[in-house]
Amino acid sequence: MYQIDKAKNRISELKTCKFTELGFSERHNLQEWLANCPEALGEELLIIQKEFDGFDDTKERLDLLALDKEGNIIVIENKLDDSGRDVVWQVLKYASYCSSLTKPHILEIFQSHLNLTDKGKDAREELCDFLDTPDLDEVVLNSGTNQRLMMVAANFRKEVTSTALWLLGHGVNVQCLKVTPYSLGDQLFLNVEQIIPTPEAKELMIGMSAKEADEKTTAAEQKQRHIIRVNFWDQTLEAMRESPCNLYNNINPTKDHWSNAGSGVSSVPFTLIFCKKEARVELNIARTETSENKFIFDKLHERKDEIEEAFGNSLDWKRLDNKKASRVVYRKPFDCYNSENWTEITEWLIKHMIRFEDAIKRPLLEAGEELKSKPQSEANVTQLR
């Protein structure tokens, strides 16, 4: 690997190093780097536990436990300069142990992790956000034998790569990722490269997964919950049109769990949410630029007391610093899929969306106008707060 010097039009070779030479350890360094930047492993992952030892009748512990965007468990085993001979046996054991983890177990494990690393966050809410689902009850976690294996090391022995390729050929989702530290003067760099499966094989696997996902999505369209949602929105939007709330006069029922209406500020809709266990009214601040979303949110939050007094209740202010969008939310638990509750839910949504719009629309419009008048660089500062 080389560094490019544009001024001199030259390249300088980076020195390949060993972790042990640099004084780095597996647990306190490599593991922490990956736990805090799991995207370095090549995809969006959610770390749900470090040093997981929740196995009955054994004192063994795996390095990192994660979920992918499909809800599959991933066992991540880290080694430093050499993979060792037994790493495959280790990850296979851990995957077998984790195959029995249920959704309540996973929530408990993740909440325990959050309590140590990010106090105040709720595991269920974070999982819903990561999996892009309104209701965790609609998602299957750790399905069947779909556990995935990731082995991370600076060097893989042939007995390890040979076994990994054999497992891959027999349908076991296993990956080997080579991590190499480099130095240039006082600067240190880390390269993460997937060597098994090869990039060409990975592209083929992605294509196959996309086909399977498309087939599953097509089948899911027929699920009962979509019929429930269409029927609920048909009733609720008709009631909305007959109410003093004019936001949804031209909105049609869909199978989605949400229904958006314009607020007067582009890409910042008023949203009705119909989940399995709760209903919500929201302001969804979802413009293309993250900085603009945070600017609008912060301007509204400055007037929090005024808005909540006008609304009549406290609101849930979700800046979501690590996400592009931000939201302002008011919610109430319901057994939403029981149609006997729909009249009550509809009345609640109408009542609170009217109050919500009345309380927040003027401050929102003023924030939108202020955003238009600000230089882009000034709006960007808001994102860093």
Side-chain angles (χ1 to χ4, degrees):
M1 184 178 290
Y2 294 82
Q3 183 186 50
I4 299 172
D5 187 329
K6 292 176 65 178
K8 296 181 180 178
N9 197 27
R10 295 290 186 271
I11 58 174
S12 302
E13 184 176 8
L14 304 184
K15 179 186 175 183
T16 305
C17 304
K18 290 186 175 182
F19 289 107
T20 49
E21 292 175 348
L22 297 171
F24 293 131
S25 70
E26 174 189 312
R27 180 176 180 182
H28 294 294
N29 298 115
L30 181 58
Q31 179 175 292
E32 285 300 308
W33 300 339
L34 297 178
N36 287 280
C37 188
E39 57 269 26
L41 297 172
E43 61 184 286
E44 191 175 354
L45 302 176
L46 181 68
I47 302 298
I48 62 172
Q49 189 56 272
K50 297 188 296 185
E51 296 289 318
F52 179 62
D53 60 356
F55 308 127
D56 292 337
D57 303 321
T58 174
K59 294 182 179 180
E60 294 173 293
R61 61 176 65 206
L62 61 86
D63 293 337
L64 295 172
L65 189 63
L67 287 175
D68 66 16
K69 296 291 280 187
E70 300 299 319
N72 298 313
I73 282 284
I74 306 178
V75 171
I76 304 171
E77 187 64 18
N78 306 311
K79 302 297 179 184
L80 283 180
D81 296 319
D82 187 279
S83 65
R85 295 185 179 89
D86 300 326
V87 63
V88 178
W89 172 236
Q90 281 183 283
V91 293
L92 285 171
K93 282 193 299 180
Y94 297 152
S96 72
Y97 300 159
C98 292
S99 65
S100 62
L101 292 177
T102 63
K103 189 181 296 183
H105 287 146
I106 292 170
L107 278 168
E108 182 181 349
I109 291 165
F110 187 31
Q111 188 62 63
S112 174
H113 177 63
L114 289 175
N115 290 344
L116 292 175
T117 61
D118 215 336
K119 289 185 179 180
K121 287 195 174 181
D122 178 72
R124 177 177 287 271
E125 188 173 313
E126 292 298 308
L127 275 172
C128 285
D129 196 30
F130 175 74
L131 297 170
D132 298 321
T133 181
D135 192 336
L136 203 59
D137 291 335
E138 297 183 0
V139 175
V140 176
L141 297 181
N142 197 25
S143 173
T145 56
N146 292 332
Q147 295 76 35
R148 296 174 52 190
L149 318 178
M150 280 190 179
M151 296 176 284
V152 182
N155 179 61
F156 286 90
R157 299 192 183 194
K158 286 186 178 180
E159 54 262 53
V160 173
T161 54
S162 176
T163 307
L165 288 168
W166 185 87
L167 289 169
L168 196 63
H170 285 76
V172 178
N173 194 329
V174 57
Q175 293 165 262
C176 294
L177 295 111
K178 183 177 181 180
V179 286
T180 308
Y182 294 91
S183 68
L184 182 65
D186 294 332
Q187 291 184 295
L188 297 177
F189 305 87
L190 183 72
N191 184 54
V192 183
E193 176 187 9
Q194 180 169 301
I195 60 172
I196 295 177
T198 62
E200 293 80 8
K202 185 180 180 184
E203 288 300 317
L204 176 61
M205 292 169 66
I206 290 172
M208 293 172 62
S209 298
K211 179 177 180 294
E212 293 172 0
D214 183 63
E215 291 170 353
K216 290 178 181 178
T217 300
T218 301
E221 293 288 326
Q222 309 303 321
K223 287 187 177 181
Q224 185 65 25
R225 66 175 179 270
H226 295 142
I227 299 173
I228 290 173
R229 289 171 185 167
V230 170
N231 291 337
F232 173 79
W233 290 127
D234 187 55
Q235 169 184 312
T236 298
L237 294 175
E238 179 62 32
M240 277 277 184
R241 285 188 281 271
E242 296 175 357
S243 77
C245 181
N246 298 318
L247 290 172
Y248 291 85
N249 286 358
N250 299 314
I251 306 298
N252 295 318
T254 70
K255 60 180 175 57
D256 298 312
H257 71 279
W258 49 266
S259 184
N260 283 343
S263 67
V265 175
S266 177
S267 298
V268 187
F270 287 112
T271 305
L272 301 173
I273 301 289
F274 176 73
C275 294
K276 186 175 182 179
K277 294 184 177 180
E278 69 174 14
R280 305 197 297 266
V281 294
E282 295 185 355
L283 184 72
N284 189 18
I285 310 172
R287 295 166 70 91
T288 303
E289 296 296 327
T290 302
S291 59
E292 294 182 0
N293 294 330
K294 304 313 174 190
F295 181 89
I296 292 172
F297 178 90
D298 290 340
K299 287 299 175 182
L300 293 175
H301 194 262
E302 288 173 5
R303 301 170 68 172
K304 175 178 179 289
D305 292 343
E306 170 194 338
I307 291 169
E308 290 184 342
E309 183 177 358
F311 180 68
N313 291 97
S314 297
L315 298 169
D316 189 3
W317 297 81
K318 305 178 78 64
R319 193 175 193 270
L320 304 176
D321 292 337
N322 297 322
K323 305 292 181 181
K324 178 181 287 188
S326 294
R327 293 194 291 272
V328 184
V329 182
Y330 189 69
R331 52 165 49 90
K332 182 178 179 180
F334 287 103
D335 180 6
C336 291
Y337 285 8
N338 182 349
S339 60
E340 293 181 1
N341 297 327
W342 286 3
T343 298
E344 180 186 357
I345 297 168
T346 296
E347 291 174 352
W348 185 89
L349 287 171
I350 292 171
K351 174 183 175 182
H352 289 89
M353 182 53 81
I354 291 172
R355 290 167 52 187
F356 195 57
E357 181 189 9
D358 288 345
I360 209 167
K361 186 163 187 177
R362 177 174 289 182
L364 173 62
L365 293 175
E366 291 173 359
E369 288 300 315
E370 187 173 349
L371 178 63
K372 290 179 184 178
S373 67
K374 294 289 184 184
Q376 187 61 39
S377 58
E378 188 170 338
N380 286 341
V381 174
T382 307
Q383 186 180 347
L384 303 176
R385 292 179 184 171

